[in-house]
Amino acid sequence: MSFPITRHRRLRGTAGIRGMVRETILNTLDFIQPIFVTYGTGVKNEIGSMPGVYHFSLDMLKAEVDEIAALGIPAVLLFGIPETKDAIGSSGFADDGIVQEATRLIKQWYPELLVVADTCLCEFTDHGHCGMVHTHTVDGVVHGDVINDASLELLTRTAVSQAKAGADIIAPSNMMDGFVQAIRTGLDENGFEHVPIMSYSVKYASAFYGPFREAADSAPQFGNRKTYQMDPANLREAIREADSDVLEGADMLMVKPALAYLDVIRTIRDQFDLPLVAYNVSGEYSMVKAAALQGWIDEQAVVLEMLTGMKRAGADIIITYFAKDAARWLQG
């Protein structure tokens, strides 16, 4: 018998010993902070379902970026809410689009702060889907099919416009087949072969995105996204999706959401050697915030444990709305 010769508690007796043998270390450099930028002036509006997260107009953005940079968070992820929307999401690839303008400002203020541009059309289309759609009406109800190949051209235009504005990393989240190859080709042909692609490789059709729909004003006007985002029940499919993106030239892979998909993160980590990103999504954030506001949990302890779990599962990078708070807590 191992006991009493072996006593596992010997390595748990003091904070110093626990720290010395700790296997997973959470660090501020692991984080990316999402930001929602919008049109208008003087806008800093809290998102109702996401306490502590705001919409910022460009004139109100600098204070937020100042805080992120001061905390040592290395990167931001930009989402844009445009003034106008149309069927093809043209505001998404306009040179004066909201994401492009925000990118230019941030790179002017903080050249070393990494700007990650979310590359999708859902925030910019009037129908709320991530690509072009073909619609038809049956008994007064609008139905639509997302057109994969035609959408790739628009997504590529969006990525190129973001790179021209100064985005350091392109993060396509649309889940169209072939999107990495199309965007990689477009970037390379326009002189941006040095710009990496952080692919939303494994993105599930998840109920955890609910608050984001409010934040990004991107709820589908008809149907849902289950024909192009993954079934939450599937794991082997995640390997196929990631493998396709690797072959097409992705530089980083992502699993989204994170909390209910730690097994997927571990599987992708074990199968591929590219840097792996976990997206701690809006619903995961809002659940913790709601419980903390009720006094039911210790927010700091729960958040740091949750983020550590994502890193322990295999994530190298974590996109999280808790990035600023977590950075403060880690720095004491």
Side-chain angles (χ1 to χ4, degrees):
M1 294 181 62
S2 62
F3 179 83
I5 301 300
T6 300
R7 293 180 180 267
H8 300 291
R9 290 180 57 187
R10 293 189 190 114
L11 298 182
R12 304 170 190 159
T14 68
I17 292 175
R18 292 192 298 273
M20 185 169 62
V21 301
R22 185 163 293 134
E23 300 172 21
T24 304
I25 307 297
L26 199 61
N27 190 290
T28 300
L29 294 176
D30 300 331
F31 302 144
I32 297 175
Q33 174 72 52
I35 301 178
F36 296 94
V37 290
T38 191
Y39 57 91
T41 58
V43 177
K44 182 184 177 182
N45 295 335
E46 189 171 38
I47 298 163
S49 57
M50 299 179 69
V53 179
Y54 296 82
H55 291 128
F56 295 97
S57 55
L58 295 180
D59 61 314
M60 301 295 286
L61 181 59
K62 189 170 188 299
E64 174 75 357
V65 179
D66 286 344
E67 183 180 10
I68 291 167
L71 287 166
I73 296 168
V76 296
L77 172 62
L78 291 184
F79 296 100
I81 299 89
E83 187 170 13
T84 60
K85 302 186 179 193
D86 58 32
I88 63 171
S90 58
S91 295
F93 49 81
D95 287 339
D96 61 351
I98 189 68
V99 169
Q100 289 80 355
E101 294 289 1
T103 298
R104 293 186 186 98
L105 287 173
I106 293 171
K107 296 309 292 185
Q108 174 185 323
W109 299 329
Y110 293 99
E112 299 305 313
L113 183 66
L114 296 174
V115 173
V116 184
D118 179 80
T119 306
C120 195
L121 298 178
C122 62
E123 301 134 72
F124 306 100
T125 54
D126 53 14
H127 47 72
H129 281 284
C130 301
M132 292 180 63
V133 298
H134 170 70
T135 60
H136 56 281
T137 303
V138 178
D139 297 329
V141 178
V142 177
H143 299 268
D145 300 309
V146 176
I147 308 169
N148 190 94
D149 295 9
S151 299
L152 297 179
E153 179 183 351
L154 300 180
L155 292 162
T156 299
R157 291 177 65 183
T158 302
V160 170
S161 73
Q162 292 167 338
K164 286 180 177 177
D168 298 286
I169 298 171
I170 298 299
S173 60
N174 54 87
M175 288 297 284
M176 297 296 110
D177 290 333
F179 70 91
V180 173
Q181 179 175 305
I183 289 172
R184 182 73 272 159
T185 300
L187 290 173
D188 291 356
E189 289 178 348
N190 284 274
F192 297 109
E193 63 277 353
H194 61 285
V195 175
I197 294 175
M198 177 191 289
S199 174
Y200 286 64
S201 303
V202 181
K203 182 178 179 181
Y204 287 89
S206 172
F208 285 96
Y209 303 149
F212 181 89
R213 303 286 184 252
E214 176 189 356
D217 189 25
S218 63
Q221 297 304 300
F222 54 83
N224 54 55
R225 296 182 177 140
K226 293 182 179 180
T227 62
Y228 50 100
Q229 295 178 358
M230 287 177 53
D231 185 335
N234 293 355
L235 174 60
R236 296 191 301 272
E237 183 184 2
I239 300 173
R240 299 197 298 272
E241 284 280 3
D243 188 54
S244 294
D245 288 0
V246 172
L247 293 173
E248 292 176 21
D251 299 283
M252 291 174 262
L253 305 176
M254 187 190 301
V255 174
K256 178 184 181 184
L259 194 57
Y261 297 85
L262 297 177
D263 60 322
V264 182
I265 294 172
R266 170 46 56 190
T267 297
I268 299 300
R269 171 75 291 146
D270 289 343
Q271 292 283 333
F272 302 95
D273 60 2
L274 291 181
L276 180 58
V277 185
Y279 198 144
N280 177 208
V281 300
S282 60
E284 298 165 355
Y285 173 88
S286 296
M287 289 192 305
V288 173
K289 278 291 185 182
L293 288 170
Q294 292 292 328
W296 295 337
I297 61 171
D298 179 332
E299 181 179 355
Q300 176 177 336
V302 166
V303 170
L304 293 180
E305 183 175 341
M306 181 171 64
L307 297 178
T308 298
M310 295 169 193
K311 191 169 183 184
R312 187 184 66 245
D316 302 294
I317 301 163
I318 302 172
I319 300 170
T320 177
Y321 303 96
F322 287 114
K324 291 190 298 179
D325 287 336
R328 291 190 192 95
W329 296 328
L330 291 172
Q331 295 165 18

